[in-house]
Amino acid sequence: MTDNSQNSQASLAEIHYPFAEVESRWQQHWEEEQTFATPVAPGADKYYVLEMFPYPSGRLHMGHCRVYSIGDALARFLRMNGKKVLHPMGFDAFGLPAENAAILHKVHPSQWTERCIDDMKAQFKMMGFSLDWDREAVTCRPDYYHWNQWLFLKMMERGLVYKKAAAINWCVSCNTVLANEQVEQGACWRCKNPVEVKNLEQWFFKITDYAEQLLADLDKLNDWPESVKTMQRNWIGRSEGAVVRFKLLPKEFAPGMPVDDAQTSQLPDVEIFTTRPDTLFGVTFMVFAPEHPRVTELVEGTPRDAEVKAYVQKAKQEDRFLRTAADREKEGCFIGRYAVNPLNGDVVPIYIANFVLMEYGTGAIMAVPAHDQRDFEFATKYDIPVRMVIAPPDDADAIAGSDEARAQASAALKAAYVEPGVMVGSGAFNGRPSEEAKGAIAEYLEERGFGKRTIQFKLRDWLISRQRFWGTPIPIVYCPACGTVPVAESDLPIRLPENAVFSGSGNPLAAVDEFVNAKCPKCAGPARRETDTMDTFVDSSWYFLRYCDPHNTSLPFSRENGDAWMAVDQYIGGIEHAILHLLYARFFTKVLRDLGLVDCDEPFERLLAQGMVTNTFVDKATGQNAVDENGLLKYAKMSKSLGNGVDPIDIIKRYGADTARLFILFASPAEKELEWNENGVDGCSRFLNRVWRLALMLEPQVRKVLSTGENLSDGVSAGAADEATREMIFMTHRTLQRVAVEIGERHHFNTAIAAVMEFQNALYSYVTKSGEAADPKVTTFALRVLLLSLFPFAPHIASELWRVSGFTGRLDDQRYPAHNPSALVRSEVEVVLQVNGKIRSKIMVSAEATDEQLREAALADEKVQATLAGREPKKVIVVKGRLVNLVG
RNA sequence: GCCGGAGUGGCGGAAUGGCAGACGCAGAGGACUCAAAAUCCUCCGAGGUCACACUCGUGUGGGUUCGAAUCCCACCUCCGGCACCA
């Protein structure tokens, strides 16, 4: 414990607070006292603060420090406001790094991971985060992944799990398949290496069953950043339109020949999806995706057979991400077959082309070159007619003109007209607005059995198989007699073997005979176990629910405990998970709700997407710090490759955890980038030292005031004598109010800290300038407020000064006081005087002054009179207590 | 190309219709010291002035308003996301 008598002998200026000793002592205290244990029976006051759990790399980095500092400030503040806070932590512990380490260091991924977790937990504790470690969830432990497997089986029962062969994304470097969401610009989200297309049989979760809900419920998420919601909307990609059936003409058909209805009705129709039924009269050709399964059958035995198959081959070989890039030139070939437009009986040729995707809609399109830019480019290249059927609303000639004139206009088009307009050349629909015709034509088709209104999504099912060891084993057995059989619930968990060999080639799981050889759950005959493991995003899709009931051995969590804490009131994490994790977690929550496990539609009520931590970096070419064209230092995300990372542990050792936390929260708003700046860190350290010295300076008088045992007044009723004291009381309550609003309502930690700093400055000048005249009761209350408002950001120093100053109880148990509104009422206020909107003067007036009095006072002001120069103002605007504007 | 966000001192940033630049950093001057560090005090948008006064100033141009960093329109720049989804 610090000996204060020693301090008083040294010059105050020499004192720097002993953060290392103070911080470790409080951390130990918190652990021993289990200060952060989650309250039981939370009821209506529950508040669930959650930060995205980390991958246990073994080293805490600055990005982690930022998320957890944000969450911790909130958690501590909410506890002070009487909330029953759940603030848990765990580890997203499956994944490739541990497996790679296993290959490199010949250590089992489990040992490696557990060691990293121990290291990271120690580092977490050094930051002083108020986490309930008793609820820790570690996804790589059987007591967690047991429930991944259980949920897999439950989802299977509901038809939400299936296995199918599909063209999938294969990451060569990670040696595994990836889900659609996990491919970014043709590259693996994790290792950034290019992704290949393979055809494999894989396990999928039927997330598309929930597409409509996942989209619609985004509207409920009022406290999510607009950008994240937009990204999810785009990813789900809902389009309304119609599936339209075109009659296929026989192989022998050639243009000019009569269409034999009896013959065509024998052939299977060609189905296309369109969002533009209004352009149906403008169809001049159709296009299939090259890999469309019907293409082979359509050309079989025709003269074009070889040519078409050669093109299909070529298209299949081309890199898929190059082929489907938006700027790729459109190309394809005619397949020699024709179809009939159901609306007008037109015969149109069928092509295959690189720009049509098999995975979307029906894998075939109707092409309307006049009104779709892609179709237009293709038609131009292959000399296919362009037929305008929608005229710009202001183009009277096109609307009223003859067919010939329109044909000429069509031929002259330089680009597709994609805007809404007026229907032309469309028979009975002519003259109607195209937006209205969309529905009318779809209805017309539906009535005659030529089509059906439908909704398409871009969202695909979630591919969850991974050909890797370090993940949750998929609880499936392949039996030669019974086929694909789910493992019995009572046999869970299917554990990862301890004796796998990590050679670096192939999935080690497949090489462990004891694992692979299984008994069929149905017939008890010999069977083979599935050796694929689950995508690690499965683990993180429901961990927030496990925290609600972490020790449950019979269920992933009980309904009672889930309902007691869910939804997460405030979720905090990086924007990089805007689609991946946040979409999967929303999907899981809805599935769990439908399984009757929890009563909650959306997992995360409020979302705070925190910005990256950046730093200056050395330009490898010049060997100097990278600068922009103006010579200003450039900042980039802290990373290994740029060598610009700052180790949080190093900062803790040099400045202490409180300084690190304070700087991280002060330097920038939470959702923006944080530019690392050593000088800024220094500034925060100086501030905490000033608080320390101020508290030591006040300690004798504070102890004296506290020793009277009187109830510490909030200063208001005291009716302070002098101006400085009244101002001090005002500042104290104003700070209480500002900090509460900034943290509690706006989550603006930077301005909350600025308010605390201002308050510290004010208290310091009050006690130094007033000297003996300073009211000890007022300073005692002010110090109390200073420590309370500092506590969420810098809990160690605040706790220590609370104790040292002689305040009773633990700071952890204190309530954050409500400000007293009457303390914020001032008898005199400064009013700004404007003439024609320009500030000319400022005057002090009674806060109660009426509009008329303010007007009089303004007109009486010398400077105002000088500016008006005798003119009479035409109009006077009075904003009570703030300003008077004289217009004249 | 489409969608989303942002442009404010030397720097990070405050102010969401009413005093632009809170708070912090950097910088300048001073006090303490033999000196330095630490600490404390003062100044710190630009022009202008001995000092005031005054003028200009929130990416650019227009608009609404008594009054605009803030609201509306157009444009420019930067950041992020998506990208032939029919």
mmCIF file of all heavy atoms in Angstrom, chain B residues 41-53:
data_model
loop_
_atom_site.group_PDB
_atom_site.id
_atom_site.type_symbol
_atom_site.label_atom_id
_atom_site.label_comp_id
_atom_site.label_asym_id
_atom_site.label_seq_id
_atom_site.Cartn_x
_atom_site.Cartn_y
_atom_site.Cartn_z
ATOM 1 P P C B 41 -1.241 25.059 -14.568
ATOM 2 O OP1 C B 41 -2.597 25.176 -14.001
ATOM 3 O OP2 C B 41 -1.003 24.193 -15.743
ATOM 4 O "O5'" C B 41 -0.702 26.515 -14.933
ATOM 5 C "C5'" C B 41 -0.847 27.607 -14.027
ATOM 6 C "C4'" C B 41 -0.200 28.830 -14.625
ATOM 7 O "O4'" C B 41 1.221 28.574 -14.818
ATOM 8 C "C3'" C B 41 -0.677 29.177 -16.028
ATOM 9 O "O3'" C B 41 -1.900 29.883 -15.998
ATOM 10 C "C2'" C B 41 0.480 30.050 -16.525
ATOM 11 O "O2'" C B 41 0.450 31.345 -15.974
ATOM 12 C "C1'" C B 41 1.679 29.283 -15.965
ATOM 13 N N1 C B 41 2.248 28.325 -16.950
ATOM 14 C C2 C B 41 3.091 28.824 -17.948
ATOM 15 O O2 C B 41 3.324 30.037 -18.002
ATOM 16 N N3 C B 41 3.631 27.968 -18.862
ATOM 17 C C4 C B 41 3.361 26.669 -18.782
ATOM 18 N N4 C B 41 3.922 25.868 -19.691
ATOM 19 C C5 C B 41 2.500 26.127 -17.780
ATOM 20 C C6 C B 41 1.967 26.983 -16.883
ATOM 21 P P U B 42 -2.924 29.748 -17.226
ATOM 22 O OP1 U B 42 -4.171 30.412 -16.806
ATOM 23 O OP2 U B 42 -2.957 28.339 -17.667
ATOM 24 O "O5'" U B 42 -2.219 30.601 -18.370
ATOM 25 C "C5'" U B 42 -2.137 32.027 -18.268
ATOM 26 C "C4'" U B 42 -1.332 32.559 -19.418
ATOM 27 O "O4'" U B 42 0.003 31.973 -19.389
ATOM 28 C "C3'" U B 42 -1.829 32.169 -20.801
ATOM 29 O "O3'" U B 42 -2.917 32.980 -21.218
ATOM 30 C "C2'" U B 42 -0.577 32.422 -21.644
ATOM 31 O "O2'" U B 42 -0.355 33.794 -21.872
ATOM 32 C "C1'" U B 42 0.509 31.878 -20.717
ATOM 33 N N1 U B 42 0.858 30.472 -21.032
ATOM 34 C C2 U B 42 1.707 30.238 -22.114
ATOM 35 O O2 U B 42 2.156 31.124 -22.806
ATOM 36 N N3 U B 42 1.994 28.926 -22.356
ATOM 37 C C4 U B 42 1.535 27.843 -21.648
ATOM 38 O O4 U B 42 1.881 26.705 -21.985
ATOM 39 C C5 U B 42 0.659 28.148 -20.557
ATOM 40 C C6 U B 42 0.355 29.421 -20.295
ATOM 41 P P C B 43 -3.976 32.406 -22.228
ATOM 42 O OP1 C B 43 -5.096 33.364 -22.285
ATOM 43 O OP2 C B 43 -4.242 30.984 -21.893
ATOM 44 O "O5'" C B 43 -3.179 32.442 -23.608
ATOM 45 C "C5'" C B 43 -2.817 33.693 -24.198
ATOM 46 C "C4'" C B 43 -1.920 33.441 -25.388
ATOM 47 O "O4'" C B 43 -0.750 32.693 -24.968
ATOM 48 C "C3'" C B 43 -2.514 32.551 -26.469
ATOM 49 O "O3'" C B 43 -3.384 33.298 -27.301
ATOM 50 C "C2'" C B 43 -1.255 32.119 -27.208
ATOM 51 O "O2'" C B 43 -0.737 33.121 -28.046
ATOM 52 C "C1'" C B 43 -0.296 31.873 -26.044
ATOM 53 N N1 C B 43 -0.271 30.448 -25.616
ATOM 54 C C2 C B 43 0.468 29.520 -26.378
ATOM 55 O O2 C B 43 1.068 29.912 -27.392
ATOM 56 N N3 C B 43 0.504 28.221 -26.004
ATOM 57 C C4 C B 43 -0.162 27.826 -24.914
ATOM 58 N N4 C B 43 -0.093 26.534 -24.584
ATOM 59 C C5 C B 43 -0.932 28.744 -24.119
ATOM 60 C C6 C B 43 -0.956 30.023 -24.505
ATOM 61 P P C B 44 -4.665 32.609 -27.897
ATOM 62 O OP1 C B 44 -5.462 33.658 -28.558
ATOM 63 O OP2 C B 44 -5.285 31.735 -26.861
ATOM 64 O "O5'" C B 44 -4.042 31.650 -29.014
ATOM 65 C "C5'" C B 44 -3.312 32.173 -30.126
ATOM 66 C "C4'" C B 44 -2.661 31.015 -30.841
ATOM 67 O "O4'" C B 44 -1.720 30.358 -29.953
ATOM 68 C "C3'" C B 44 -3.623 29.897 -31.223
ATOM 69 O "O3'" C B 44 -4.260 30.191 -32.451
ATOM 70 C "C2'" C B 44 -2.673 28.708 -31.353
ATOM 71 O "O2'" C B 44 -1.953 28.714 -32.569
ATOM 72 C "C1'" C B 44 -1.706 28.964 -30.201
ATOM 73 N N1 C B 44 -2.090 28.246 -28.957
ATOM 74 C C2 C B 44 -1.670 26.907 -28.790
ATOM 75 O O2 C B 44 -0.989 26.375 -29.677
ATOM 76 N N3 C B 44 -2.032 26.233 -27.665
ATOM 77 C C4 C B 44 -2.766 26.839 -26.735
ATOM 78 N N4 C B 44 -3.090 26.138 -25.654
ATOM 79 C C5 C B 44 -3.207 28.180 -26.880
ATOM 80 C C6 C B 44 -2.853 28.843 -27.985
ATOM 81 P P G B 45 -5.802 29.940 -32.619
ATOM 82 O OP1 G B 45 -6.569 31.182 -32.390
ATOM 83 O OP2 G B 45 -6.076 28.707 -31.824
ATOM 84 O "O5'" G B 45 -5.909 29.564 -34.154
ATOM 85 C "C5'" G B 45 -5.342 28.359 -34.637
ATOM 86 C "C4'" G B 45 -5.558 28.262 -36.121
ATOM 87 O "O4'" G B 45 -6.979 28.161 -36.377
ATOM 88 C "C3'" G B 45 -5.129 29.502 -36.900
ATOM 89 O "O3'" G B 45 -3.749 29.461 -37.205
ATOM 90 C "C2'" G B 45 -5.988 29.386 -38.150
ATOM 91 O "O2'" G B 45 -5.486 28.408 -39.032
ATOM 92 C "C1'" G B 45 -7.307 28.887 -37.549
ATOM 93 N N9 G B 45 -8.223 29.975 -37.186
ATOM 94 C C8 G B 45 -8.638 30.324 -35.933
ATOM 95 N N7 G B 45 -9.463 31.334 -35.929
ATOM 96 C C5 G B 45 -9.600 31.675 -37.274
ATOM 97 C C6 G B 45 -10.367 32.693 -37.891
ATOM 98 O O6 G B 45 -11.106 33.529 -37.363
ATOM 99 N N1 G B 45 -10.202 32.692 -39.281
ATOM 100 C C2 G B 45 -9.404 31.823 -39.972
ATOM 101 N N2 G B 45 -9.378 31.986 -41.289
ATOM 102 N N3 G B 45 -8.687 30.856 -39.404
ATOM 103 C C4 G B 45 -8.833 30.840 -38.068
ATOM 104 P P A B 46 -2.960 30.845 -37.407
ATOM 105 O OP1 A B 46 -1.544 30.465 -37.583
ATOM 106 O OP2 A B 46 -3.354 31.814 -36.363
ATOM 107 O "O5'" A B 46 -3.553 31.369 -38.796
ATOM 108 C "C5'" A B 46 -3.170 30.755 -40.029
ATOM 109 C "C4'" A B 46 -3.789 31.525 -41.170
ATOM 110 O "O4'" A B 46 -5.231 31.500 -41.037
ATOM 111 C "C3'" A B 46 -3.464 33.018 -41.180
ATOM 112 O "O3'" A B 46 -2.218 33.279 -41.778
ATOM 113 C "C2'" A B 46 -4.622 33.567 -42.005
ATOM 114 O "O2'" A B 46 -4.460 33.320 -43.385
ATOM 115 C "C1'" A B 46 -5.776 32.731 -41.473
ATOM 116 N N9 A B 46 -6.447 33.376 -40.340
ATOM 117 C C8 A B 46 -6.342 33.077 -39.003
ATOM 118 N N7 A B 46 -7.094 33.833 -38.222
ATOM 119 C C5 A B 46 -7.729 34.694 -39.108
ATOM 120 C C6 A B 46 -8.653 35.737 -38.912
ATOM 121 N N6 A B 46 -9.119 36.101 -37.716
ATOM 122 N N1 A B 46 -9.089 36.406 -40.003
ATOM 123 C C2 A B 46 -8.619 36.040 -41.207
ATOM 124 N N3 A B 46 -7.756 35.066 -41.523
ATOM 125 C C4 A B 46 -7.340 34.432 -40.416
ATOM 126 P P G B 47 -1.403 34.542 -41.286
ATOM 127 O OP1 G B 47 -0.111 34.494 -42.005
ATOM 128 O OP2 G B 47 -1.427 34.607 -39.813
ATOM 129 O "O5'" G B 47 -2.271 35.763 -41.845
ATOM 130 C "C5'" G B 47 -2.307 36.022 -43.254
ATOM 131 C "C4'" G B 47 -3.319 37.102 -43.540
ATOM 132 O "O4'" G B 47 -4.607 36.747 -42.982
ATOM 133 C "C3'" G B 47 -3.058 38.450 -42.889
ATOM 134 O "O3'" G B 47 -2.048 39.181 -43.552
ATOM 135 C "C2'" G B 47 -4.428 39.103 -43.036
ATOM 136 O "O2'" G B 47 -4.671 39.534 -44.358
ATOM 137 C "C1'" G B 47 -5.342 37.927 -42.702
ATOM 138 N N9 G B 47 -5.723 37.943 -41.288
ATOM 139 C C8 G B 47 -5.264 37.131 -40.277
ATOM 140 N N7 G B 47 -5.807 37.397 -39.110
ATOM 141 C C5 G B 47 -6.677 38.454 -39.374
ATOM 142 C C6 G B 47 -7.539 39.174 -38.504
ATOM 143 O O6 G B 47 -7.716 39.015 -37.294
ATOM 144 N N1 G B 47 -8.234 40.170 -39.172
ATOM 145 C C2 G B 47 -8.118 40.441 -40.526
ATOM 146 N N2 G B 47 -8.865 41.429 -40.992
ATOM 147 N N3 G B 47 -7.319 39.772 -41.350
ATOM 148 C C4 G B 47 -6.642 38.803 -40.706
ATOM 149 P P G B 48 -1.063 40.094 -42.705
ATOM 150 O OP1 G B 48 -0.204 40.804 -43.662
ATOM 151 O OP2 G B 48 -0.460 39.284 -41.631
ATOM 152 O "O5'" G B 48 -2.073 41.137 -42.022
ATOM 153 C "C5'" G B 48 -2.706 42.145 -42.797
ATOM 154 C "C4'" G B 48 -3.640 42.947 -41.918
ATOM 155 O "O4'" G B 48 -4.648 42.071 -41.358
ATOM 156 C "C3'" G B 48 -2.983 43.564 -40.693
ATOM 157 O "O3'" G B 48 -2.350 44.781 -41.024
ATOM 158 C "C2'" G B 48 -4.177 43.762 -39.768
ATOM 159 O "O2'" G B 48 -4.951 44.881 -40.124
ATOM 160 C "C1'" G B 48 -4.969 42.486 -40.034
ATOM 161 N N9 G B 48 -4.608 41.409 -39.093
ATOM 162 C C8 G B 48 -3.711 40.386 -39.311
ATOM 163 N N7 G B 48 -3.595 39.575 -38.293
ATOM 164 C C5 G B 48 -4.469 40.097 -37.347
ATOM 165 C C6 G B 48 -4.770 39.636 -36.038
ATOM 166 O O6 G B 48 -4.314 38.651 -35.435
ATOM 167 N N1 G B 48 -5.703 40.456 -35.400
ATOM 168 C C2 G B 48 -6.279 41.570 -35.970
ATOM 169 N N2 G B 48 -7.145 42.228 -35.219
ATOM 170 N N3 G B 48 -6.007 42.001 -37.198
ATOM 171 C C4 G B 48 -5.105 41.223 -37.819
ATOM 172 P P U B 49 -0.869 45.095 -40.432
ATOM 173 O OP1 U B 49 -0.297 46.160 -41.264
ATOM 174 O OP2 U B 49 -0.127 43.830 -40.212
ATOM 175 O "O5'" U B 49 -1.238 45.690 -39.009
ATOM 176 C "C5'" U B 49 -2.070 46.849 -38.924
ATOM 177 C "C4'" U B 49 -2.565 47.001 -37.511
ATOM 178 O "O4'" U B 49 -3.436 45.884 -37.169
ATOM 179 C "C3'" U B 49 -1.495 46.913 -36.436
ATOM 180 O "O3'" U B 49 -0.768 48.121 -36.322
ATOM 181 C "C2'" U B 49 -2.343 46.626 -35.193
ATOM 182 O "O2'" U B 49 -2.962 47.783 -34.694
ATOM 183 C "C1'" U B 49 -3.403 45.674 -35.777
ATOM 184 N N1 U B 49 -3.075 44.254 -35.500
ATOM 185 C C2 U B 49 -3.565 43.690 -34.323
ATOM 186 O O2 U B 49 -4.251 44.319 -33.542
ATOM 187 N N3 U B 49 -3.207 42.387 -34.117
ATOM 188 C C4 U B 49 -2.431 41.594 -34.932
ATOM 189 O O4 U B 49 -2.196 40.432 -34.617
ATOM 190 C C5 U B 49 -1.956 42.237 -36.126
ATOM 191 C C6 U B 49 -2.284 43.522 -36.364
ATOM 192 P P C B 50 0.830 48.054 -36.142
ATOM 193 O OP1 C B 50 1.335 49.432 -36.147
ATOM 194 O OP2 C B 50 1.353 47.069 -37.128
ATOM 195 O "O5'" C B 50 1.016 47.441 -34.680
ATOM 196 C "C5'" C B 50 2.241 46.816 -34.302
ATOM 197 C "C4'" C B 50 2.278 46.683 -32.796
ATOM 198 O "O4'" C B 50 2.285 48.006 -32.209
ATOM 199 C "C3'" C B 50 1.075 46.005 -32.179
ATOM 200 O "O3'" C B 50 1.242 44.602 -32.154
ATOM 201 C "C2'" C B 50 1.031 46.591 -30.779
ATOM 202 O "O2'" C B 50 1.910 45.924 -29.896
ATOM 203 C "C1'" C B 50 1.533 48.015 -31.018
ATOM 204 N N1 C B 50 0.432 48.990 -31.150
ATOM 205 C C2 C B 50 -0.297 49.371 -30.013
ATOM 206 O O2 C B 50 -0.020 48.865 -28.929
ATOM 207 N N3 C B 50 -1.303 50.269 -30.140
ATOM 208 C C4 C B 50 -1.577 50.801 -31.341
ATOM 209 N N4 C B 50 -2.560 51.682 -31.415
ATOM 210 C C5 C B 50 -0.854 50.433 -32.501
ATOM 211 C C6 C B 50 0.136 49.536 -32.364
ATOM 212 P P A B 51 0.038 43.670 -32.551
ATOM 213 O OP1 A B 51 0.488 42.275 -32.347
ATOM 214 O OP2 A B 51 -0.469 44.082 -33.859
ATOM 215 O "O5'" A B 51 -1.036 44.019 -31.427
ATOM 216 C "C5'" A B 51 -0.855 43.535 -30.077
ATOM 217 C "C4'" A B 51 -1.875 44.165 -29.155
ATOM 218 O "O4'" A B 51 -1.731 45.621 -29.200
ATOM 219 C "C3'" A B 51 -3.322 43.932 -29.538
ATOM 220 O "O3'" A B 51 -3.775 42.685 -29.043
ATOM 221 C "C2'" A B 51 -4.030 45.108 -28.861
ATOM 222 O "O2'" A B 51 -4.236 44.892 -27.486
ATOM 223 C "C1'" A B 51 -3.003 46.224 -29.061
ATOM 224 N N9 A B 51 -3.282 46.998 -30.274
ATOM 225 C C8 A B 51 -2.710 46.843 -31.518
ATOM 226 N N7 A B 51 -3.154 47.695 -32.415
ATOM 227 C C5 A B 51 -4.085 48.445 -31.716
ATOM 228 C C6 A B 51 -4.916 49.513 -32.088
ATOM 229 N N6 A B 51 -4.941 50.031 -33.320
ATOM 230 N N1 A B 51 -5.734 50.041 -31.153
ATOM 231 C C2 A B 51 -5.717 49.519 -29.913
ATOM 232 N N3 A B 51 -4.971 48.520 -29.439
ATOM 233 C C4 A B 51 -4.173 48.027 -30.394
ATOM 234 P P C B 52 -4.920 41.899 -29.795
ATOM 235 O OP1 C B 52 -5.539 41.012 -28.787
ATOM 236 O OP2 C B 52 -4.327 41.319 -31.017
ATOM 237 O "O5'" C B 52 -5.942 43.043 -30.226
ATOM 238 C "C5'" C B 52 -7.315 42.846 -30.001
ATOM 239 C "C4'" C B 52 -7.996 44.152 -29.625
ATOM 240 O "O4'" C B 52 -7.182 45.310 -29.973
ATOM 241 C "C3'" C B 52 -9.273 44.432 -30.382
ATOM 242 O "O3'" C B 52 -10.348 43.631 -29.914
ATOM 243 C "C2'" C B 52 -9.460 45.917 -30.082
ATOM 244 O "O2'" C B 52 -9.918 46.130 -28.769
ATOM 245 C "C1'" C B 52 -8.030 46.420 -30.240
ATOM 246 N N1 C B 52 -7.770 46.910 -31.617
ATOM 247 C C2 C B 52 -8.350 48.123 -32.017
ATOM 248 O O2 C B 52 -9.065 48.747 -31.215
ATOM 249 N N3 C B 52 -8.132 48.573 -33.273
ATOM 250 C C4 C B 52 -7.374 47.879 -34.115
ATOM 251 N N4 C B 52 -7.187 48.370 -35.340
ATOM 252 C C5 C B 52 -6.777 46.642 -33.736
ATOM 253 C C6 C B 52 -6.999 46.196 -32.486
ATOM 254 P P A B 53 -11.165 42.735 -30.944
ATOM 255 O OP1 A B 53 -12.271 42.084 -30.204
ATOM 256 O OP2 A B 53 -10.222 41.905 -31.716
ATOM 257 O "O5'" A B 53 -11.765 43.846 -31.920
ATOM 258 C "C5'" A B 53 -12.670 44.844 -31.397
ATOM 259 C "C4'" A B 53 -12.789 45.959 -32.400
ATOM 260 O "O4'" A B 53 -11.463 46.442 -32.745
ATOM 261 C "C3'" A B 53 -13.382 45.564 -33.739
ATOM 262 O "O3'" A B 53 -14.795 45.530 -33.662
ATOM 263 C "C2'" A B 53 -12.876 46.687 -34.641
ATOM 264 O "O2'" A B 53 -13.633 47.862 -34.494
ATOM 265 C "C1'" A B 53 -11.462 46.894 -34.092
ATOM 266 N N9 A B 53 -10.458 46.133 -34.852
ATOM 267 C C8 A B 53 -9.841 44.950 -34.505
ATOM 268 N N7 A B 53 -8.975 44.508 -35.395
ATOM 269 C C5 A B 53 -9.039 45.459 -36.399
ATOM 270 C C6 A B 53 -8.363 45.578 -37.640
ATOM 271 N N6 A B 53 -7.464 44.692 -38.065
ATOM 272 N N1 A B 53 -8.653 46.642 -38.423
ATOM 273 C C2 A B 53 -9.562 47.532 -37.977
ATOM 274 N N3 A B 53 -10.262 47.528 -36.831
ATOM 275 C C4 A B 53 -9.948 46.465 -36.087
#
